[in-house]
Structures are given as structure tokens and as C-alpha cells.
Amino acid sequence: MEIPGKVSLYCPLVDAKGTAATLVAVSPQGWYQLQVQVRGRIHTMFVPVSQAAILFTEPEPEVEEGLEIER
């Protein structure tokens, strides 16, 4: 996963149900920093990691069988 990256945000605190966003950072204090378009303008949003789920819109690349990737 690459940061910044395009994601879908699911967070009941802000009534987000698959909202398109850009993940900018994940803070050590437990916040996702996101950029979200609202009414045609880009806004920065901080949501708690414990209350949100994010899904990267681009799938992980296919890995060739027999090829090991160190993470």
C-alpha cells in the first residue's frame, strides 16, 4: 500500500459509507489523516483508527508463484 493513496472510508462517526478519500498519513496517536472532497472543495479530515475502516481502491499487484516478497 502506498501513502498517499486513494481509499474508500467507512466510519459511522462521520456517516461515511464508502466515501472516496485520499489517505495522507496514519499518526502514531491513532488517527487517519484523510483528504475528502465536500461540496467541490478538498477538506482535511482526521478520523480515529479504532472507529474507521479504509479500503484501498487499487488492488495489490499479483505475485508470481514461487516469488517471495519481504514485508
Side-chain angles (χ1 to χ4, degrees), residues 9-11 13 23 25-34 46-54:
L9 171 66
Y10 298 87
C11 180
L13 291 174
L23 176 63
V26 181
S27 78
Q29 295 81 17
W31 297 90
Y32 290 126
Q33 179 183 350
L34 302 157
F46 293 90
V47 295
V49 170
S50 63
Q51 299 291 315
I54 57 171

Side-chain angles (χ1 to χ4, degrees), residues 14-71:
V14 294
D15 196 31
K17 299 174 185 165
T19 303
T22 300
L23 176 63
V24 177
V26 181
S27 78
Q29 295 81 17
W31 297 90
Y32 290 126
Q33 179 183 350
L34 302 157
Q35 290 182 337
V36 181
Q37 187 171 5
V38 179
R39 297 184 183 141
R41 299 187 69 193
I42 300 296
H43 296 268
T44 298
M45 179 183 292
F46 293 90
V47 295
V49 170
S50 63
Q51 299 291 315
I54 57 171
L55 171 69
F56 280 83
T57 55
E58 292 293 319
E60 290 290 321
E62 295 283 329
V63 178
E64 293 181 31
E65 218 172 288
L67 179 65
E68 287 190 32
I69 296 178
E70 185 176 326
R71 292 191 183 239

